[in-house]
PDB file of all heavy atoms in Angstrom:
ATOM      1  N   VAL A 105     -19.644  -3.184 -51.611  1.00 78.00           N
ATOM      2  CA  VAL A 105     -19.166  -2.991 -50.322  1.00 78.00           C
ATOM      3  C   VAL A 105     -18.967  -1.568 -49.963  1.00 78.00           C
ATOM      4  O   VAL A 105     -18.441  -1.166 -48.890  1.00 78.00           O
ATOM      5  CB  VAL A 105     -17.894  -3.797 -49.912  1.00 78.00           C
ATOM      6  CG1 VAL A 105     -18.152  -5.314 -50.038  1.00 78.00           C
ATOM      7  CG2 VAL A 105     -16.746  -3.395 -50.848  1.00 78.00           C
ATOM      8  N   ARG A 106     -19.317  -0.686 -50.868  1.00 72.00           N
ATOM      9  CA  ARG A 106     -19.425   0.749 -50.757  1.00 72.00           C
ATOM     10  C   ARG A 106     -18.013   1.381 -50.389  1.00 72.00           C
ATOM     11  O   ARG A 106     -17.993   2.367 -49.698  1.00 72.00           O
ATOM     12  CB  ARG A 106     -20.428   1.175 -49.571  1.00 72.00           C
ATOM     13  CG  ARG A 106     -21.771   0.560 -49.935  1.00 72.00           C
ATOM     14  CD  ARG A 106     -22.697   0.815 -48.835  1.00 72.00           C
ATOM     15  NE  ARG A 106     -23.057   2.168 -48.667  1.00 72.00           N
ATOM     16  CZ  ARG A 106     -24.149   2.771 -49.329  1.00 72.00           C
ATOM     17  NH1 ARG A 106     -24.812   2.117 -50.143  1.00 72.00           N
ATOM     18  NH2 ARG A 106     -24.363   4.095 -49.097  1.00 72.00           N
ATOM     19  N   GLN A 107     -16.945   0.815 -50.996  1.00 66.00           N
ATOM     20  CA  GLN A 107     -15.680   1.429 -50.805  1.00 66.00           C
ATOM     21  C   GLN A 107     -15.487   2.751 -51.488  1.00 66.00           C
ATOM     22  O   GLN A 107     -14.701   3.615 -51.129  1.00 66.00           O
ATOM     23  CB  GLN A 107     -14.542   0.377 -51.173  1.00 66.00           C
ATOM     24  CG  GLN A 107     -14.326  -0.607 -50.198  1.00 66.00           C
ATOM     25  CD  GLN A 107     -13.746   0.006 -48.809  1.00 66.00           C
ATOM     26  OE1 GLN A 107     -12.842   0.683 -48.710  1.00 66.00           O
ATOM     27  NE2 GLN A 107     -14.634  -0.229 -47.756  1.00 66.00           N
ATOM     28  N   HIS A 108     -16.275   3.028 -52.599  1.00 62.00           N
ATOM     29  CA  HIS A 108     -16.206   4.187 -53.302  1.00 62.00           C
ATOM     30  C   HIS A 108     -16.781   5.313 -52.545  1.00 62.00           C
ATOM     31  O   HIS A 108     -16.584   6.606 -52.842  1.00 62.00           O
ATOM     32  CB  HIS A 108     -16.942   4.033 -54.612  1.00 62.00           C
ATOM     33  CG  HIS A 108     -18.347   3.907 -54.502  1.00 62.00           C
ATOM     34  ND1 HIS A 108     -18.962   2.673 -54.011  1.00 62.00           N
ATOM     35  CD2 HIS A 108     -19.495   4.661 -54.777  1.00 62.00           C
ATOM     36  CE1 HIS A 108     -20.209   2.786 -54.008  1.00 62.00           C
ATOM     37  NE2 HIS A 108     -20.601   3.986 -54.457  1.00 62.00           N
ATOM     38  N   GLU A 109     -17.503   5.124 -51.488  1.00 64.00           N
ATOM     39  CA  GLU A 109     -18.201   6.182 -50.679  1.00 64.00           C
ATOM     40  C   GLU A 109     -17.310   6.537 -49.464  1.00 64.00           C
ATOM     41  O   GLU A 109     -17.640   7.499 -48.829  1.00 64.00           O
ATOM     42  CB  GLU A 109     -19.613   5.759 -50.264  1.00 64.00           C
ATOM     43  CG  GLU A 109     -20.580   5.680 -51.517  1.00 64.00           C
ATOM     44  CD  GLU A 109     -21.915   5.333 -51.063  1.00 64.00           C
ATOM     45  OE1 GLU A 109     -22.216   5.162 -49.899  1.00 64.00           O
ATOM     46  OE2 GLU A 109     -22.813   5.214 -51.855  1.00 64.00           O
ATOM     47  N   THR A 110     -16.425   5.679 -49.080  1.00 61.00           N
ATOM     48  CA  THR A 110     -15.689   6.008 -47.844  1.00 61.00           C
ATOM     49  C   THR A 110     -14.574   6.940 -48.130  1.00 61.00           C
ATOM     50  O   THR A 110     -14.262   7.197 -49.253  1.00 61.00           O
ATOM     51  CB  THR A 110     -15.083   4.685 -47.310  1.00 61.00           C
ATOM     52  OG1 THR A 110     -14.004   4.190 -48.201  1.00 61.00           O
ATOM     53  CG2 THR A 110     -15.987   3.622 -46.926  1.00 61.00           C
ATOM     54  N   SER A 111     -14.310   7.764 -47.105  1.00 56.00           N
ATOM     55  CA  SER A 111     -13.351   8.715 -47.244  1.00 56.00           C
ATOM     56  C   SER A 111     -11.945   8.168 -47.377  1.00 56.00           C
ATOM     57  O   SER A 111     -11.488   7.283 -46.650  1.00 56.00           O
ATOM     58  CB  SER A 111     -13.296   9.757 -46.036  1.00 56.00           C
ATOM     59  OG  SER A 111     -12.359  10.675 -46.170  1.00 56.00           O
ATOM     60  N   TRP A 112     -11.144   8.709 -48.369  1.00 54.00           N
ATOM     61  CA  TRP A 112      -9.784   8.295 -48.587  1.00 54.00           C
ATOM     62  C   TRP A 112      -8.857   8.951 -47.492  1.00 54.00           C
ATOM     63  O   TRP A 112      -7.612   8.730 -47.388  1.00 54.00           O
ATOM     64  CB  TRP A 112      -9.244   8.548 -49.898  1.00 54.00           C
ATOM     65  CG  TRP A 112      -9.694   7.666 -50.880  1.00 54.00           C
ATOM     66  CD1 TRP A 112     -10.939   7.059 -51.191  1.00 54.00           C
ATOM     67  CD2 TRP A 112      -8.816   7.048 -51.821  1.00 54.00           C
ATOM     68  NE1 TRP A 112     -10.867   6.145 -52.113  1.00 54.00           N
ATOM     69  CE2 TRP A 112      -9.504   6.085 -52.594  1.00 54.00           C
ATOM     70  CE3 TRP A 112      -7.459   7.077 -52.120  1.00 54.00           C
ATOM     71  CZ2 TRP A 112      -8.927   5.389 -53.675  1.00 54.00           C
ATOM     72  CZ3 TRP A 112      -6.901   6.391 -53.135  1.00 54.00           C
ATOM     73  CH2 TRP A 112      -7.754   5.486 -53.842  1.00 54.00           C
ATOM     74  N   ARG A 113      -9.400   9.841 -46.730  1.00 57.00           N
ATOM     75  CA  ARG A 113      -8.587  10.509 -45.627  1.00 57.00           C
ATOM     76  C   ARG A 113      -8.342   9.679 -44.463  1.00 57.00           C
ATOM     77  O   ARG A 113      -7.594   9.916 -43.658  1.00 57.00           O
ATOM     78  CB  ARG A 113      -9.245  11.777 -45.236  1.00 57.00           C
ATOM     79  CG  ARG A 113      -9.401  12.868 -46.400  1.00 57.00           C
ATOM     80  CD  ARG A 113     -10.053  13.987 -46.083  1.00 57.00           C
ATOM     81  NE  ARG A 113      -9.600  14.695 -44.928  1.00 57.00           N
ATOM     82  CZ  ARG A 113     -10.332  15.739 -44.336  1.00 57.00           C
ATOM     83  NH1 ARG A 113     -11.475  16.129 -44.918  1.00 57.00           N
ATOM     84  NH2 ARG A 113      -9.841  16.274 -43.245  1.00 57.00           N
ATOM     85  N   TYR A 114      -9.083   8.653 -44.443  1.00 63.00           N
ATOM     86  CA  TYR A 114      -8.896   7.678 -43.284  1.00 63.00           C
ATOM     87  C   TYR A 114      -8.707   6.222 -43.723  1.00 63.00           C
ATOM     88  O   TYR A 114      -9.329   5.825 -44.704  1.00 63.00           O
ATOM     89  CB  TYR A 114     -10.245   7.566 -42.399  1.00 63.00           C
ATOM     90  CG  TYR A 114     -10.547   8.978 -42.039  1.00 63.00           C
ATOM     91  CD1 TYR A 114     -11.620   9.684 -42.524  1.00 63.00           C
ATOM     92  CD2 TYR A 114      -9.851   9.700 -41.054  1.00 63.00           C
ATOM     93  CE1 TYR A 114     -11.949  10.934 -42.419  1.00 63.00           C
ATOM     94  CE2 TYR A 114     -10.237  10.969 -40.713  1.00 63.00           C
ATOM     95  CZ  TYR A 114     -11.245  11.681 -41.376  1.00 63.00           C
ATOM     96  OH  TYR A 114     -11.594  12.887 -41.070  1.00 63.00           O
ATOM     97  N   VAL A 115      -7.643   5.565 -43.268  1.00 68.00           N
ATOM     98  CA  VAL A 115      -7.390   4.142 -43.675  1.00 68.00           C
ATOM     99  C   VAL A 115      -7.501   3.386 -42.416  1.00 68.00           C
ATOM    100  O   VAL A 115      -6.947   3.655 -41.404  1.00 68.00           O
ATOM    101  CB  VAL A 115      -5.854   4.122 -44.196  1.00 68.00           C
ATOM    102  CG1 VAL A 115      -5.562   2.726 -44.629  1.00 68.00           C
ATOM    103  CG2 VAL A 115      -5.802   5.092 -45.391  1.00 68.00           C
ATOM    104  N   SER A 116      -8.135   2.190 -42.579  1.00 72.00           N
ATOM    105  CA  SER A 116      -8.294   1.266 -41.435  1.00 72.00           C
ATOM    106  C   SER A 116      -8.227  -0.191 -41.796  1.00 72.00           C
ATOM    107  O   SER A 116      -8.302  -0.448 -43.025  1.00 72.00           O
ATOM    108  CB  SER A 116      -9.634   1.531 -40.665  1.00 72.00           C
ATOM    109  OG  SER A 116     -10.785   1.221 -41.425  1.00 72.00           O
TER     110      SER A 116
END
Side-chain angles (χ1 to χ4, degrees):
V105 296
R106 303 174 69 89
Q107 281 300 300
H108 65 289
E109 291 182 0
T110 61
S111 175
W112 276 50
R113 291 170 62 185
Y114 308 102
V115 180
S116 68

